[in-house]
Amino acid sequence: MEIRGYTINAFAKEAGGGNPAGIVFDADRLSEQEMRKIAKKLGYSETAFVMKSNPADFHLRFFTTEEEVDLCGHATIGTFSAMSQLGMIKEGGYLQETKAGVLEVIVDSDHKVMMQMSLPEFGATIAKREIAESLNLDESKIDAHLPIQIVSTGLKDLIVPIPDRETVDAMQPDFEKIKQISQKYGIVGYHVFCTEPLDTAHTAYCRNFAPLYGIAEESATGTSNGALGCYLFHVSDVDRKGQIRYVMEQGYGMKRPSEIEVELLFDRHNIKDVKVGGAANDLSPFVFEL
């Protein structure tokens, strides 16, 4: 069977930056086993398969090289930006059907995409000792003033606060231990951050580890940064009504600089809407025999 599709770098700050994703259109003809084989052959952290939908404009399924996931931020951004660049859709709002629900996607005239996330769910807090060991860090290198907490805006991530960028860059994770802890708590992986970004106009500097799903480190993650934005709002104790915007940096140590925008609508302590988005570039076709 001949497989045709595209690759694209989502959340890219510049050419060569961002997180690469695979995209296969007209995927209704493919079985789940074939989707898994295609994702594994492409070898990206996620590949999106685009199908017809009754409740939405498009139905998307997302596969890592190992597993299917309910939602993928960077593959969604990449897919809708690709459709915009290819002239398949116009500027405006669309609905995508996913295993995390039917979610809104907004495309602008420059092919930038913002996607709606699920409302946040704040889970358990985890002891610093357990997490520090899996990151090969002393407990003192984890921020003493903020919790290590499971947060989901579609996928469960463990948000890990670190005091400074030097520690974030230098850490050498134990991926086997992270995998074991991810299984134990039912999470996708760790989203490690500090509030010491390279660009002082931005919010946070991040690294993401998801070895349970075959991803040692990911250069840009939409769902994780959506969860991080909700976490930062939650710990800030904002008591007003309005909108707040964060910009997260990721992938710099991998030489794939990425910027992920997070927008929250809130009323007092309650988050009413979560959107994540950014740019995508380096759209390229591929073809191979499965």
Side-chain angles (χ1 to χ4, degrees), residues 19-24 31-49 60-76 99 155-157 179 187-189 208-218 220-221 223-224 288:
N19 194 358
I23 307 164
V24 178
S31 68
E32 181 174 314
Q33 184 180 17
E34 288 167 337
M35 292 183 197
R36 289 180 182 275
K37 286 182 178 178
I38 292 165
K40 195 169 189 68
K41 187 175 179 68
L42 284 174
Y44 295 121
S45 56
E46 273 94 3
T47 295
F49 295 87
L60 270 67
R61 292 180 70 177
F62 307 98
F63 289 83
T64 74
T65 57
E66 303 292 334
E67 300 286 348
E68 183 173 13
V69 292
D70 291 351
L71 183 65
C72 177
H74 88 273
T76 295
K99 288 194 171 184
L155 298 176
K156 291 181 180 179
D157 281 285
K179 183 186 278 191
I187 58 176
V188 173
N208 186 276
F209 311 115
L212 181 62
Y213 286 81
I215 306 165
E217 182 167 359
E218 195 159 27
T221 46
T223 52
S224 303
F288 61 74

Side-chain angles (χ1 to χ4, degrees), residues 30-269:
L30 299 172
S31 68
E32 181 174 314
Q33 184 180 17
E34 288 167 337
M35 292 183 197
R36 289 180 182 275
K37 286 182 178 178
I38 292 165
K40 195 169 189 68
K41 187 175 179 68
L42 284 174
Y44 295 121
S45 56
E46 273 94 3
T47 295
F49 295 87
V50 186
M51 297 169 285
K52 295 175 183 176
S53 173
N54 287 323
D57 298 296
F58 304 96
H59 178 194
L60 270 67
R61 292 180 70 177
F62 307 98
F63 289 83
T64 74
T65 57
E66 303 292 334
E67 300 286 348
E68 183 173 13
V69 292
D70 291 351
L71 183 65
C72 177
H74 88 273
T76 295
I77 300 305
T79 297
F80 280 84
S81 182
M83 288 195 288
S84 176
Q85 292 177 48
L86 292 167
M88 297 168 66
I89 59 173
K90 298 179 180 180
E91 176 183 2
Y94 298 88
L95 293 178
Q96 67 161 339
E97 177 189 354
T98 74
K99 288 194 171 184
V102 175
L103 302 171
E104 184 183 20
V105 178
I106 300 169
V107 182
D108 74 11
S109 57
D110 295 323
H111 317 302
K112 178 181 169 183
V113 179
M114 295 295 291
M115 64 175 289
Q116 183 184 37
M117 312 296 285
S118 300
L119 290 176
E121 296 179 5
F122 296 94
T125 57
I126 312 299
K128 288 180 170 62
R129 177 180 297 178
E130 184 174 15
I131 303 309
E133 183 179 345
S134 67
L135 292 170
N136 283 313
L137 292 177
D138 186 272
E139 282 185 63
S140 64
K141 294 294 187 178
I142 294 180
D143 197 313
H145 305 291
L146 294 172
I148 298 173
Q149 187 169 19
I150 298 170
V151 184
S152 172
T153 51
L155 298 176
K156 291 181 180 179
D157 281 285
L158 187 65
I159 307 298
V160 184
I162 302 293
D164 59 88
R165 190 171 67 244
E166 182 180 1
T167 301
V168 174
D169 280 334
M171 68 175 55
Q172 299 290 328
D174 184 325
F175 293 116
E176 189 54 41
K177 286 182 180 176
I178 292 176
K179 183 186 278 191
Q180 292 169 5
I181 290 170
S182 298
Q183 288 175 320
K184 177 180 176 180
Y185 291 106
I187 58 176
V188 173
Y190 291 12
H191 199 58
V192 177
F193 80 97
C194 70
T195 52
E196 193 180 85
L198 291 163
D199 186 330
T200 55
H202 295 169
T203 310
Y205 181 87
C206 311
R207 293 179 69 183
N208 186 276
F209 311 115
L212 181 62
Y213 286 81
I215 306 165
E217 182 167 359
E218 195 159 27
S219 56
T221 46
T223 52
S224 303
N225 282 297
L228 174 58
C230 294
Y231 170 98
L232 292 171
F233 175 86
H234 189 63
V235 300
S236 68
D237 198 30
V238 175
D239 189 15
R240 58 186 173 84
K241 183 177 182 178
Q243 182 173 357
I244 194 165
R245 177 178 178 269
Y246 303 112
V247 179
M248 317 303 188
E249 300 171 348
Q250 195 176 329
Y252 283 78
M254 303 172 71
K255 302 194 183 309
R256 298 195 68 92
S258 307
E259 290 183 0
I260 303 95
E261 299 177 26
V262 180
E263 294 179 356
L264 306 181
L265 285 178
F266 60 91
D267 186 354
R268 302 301 174 186
H269 302 295

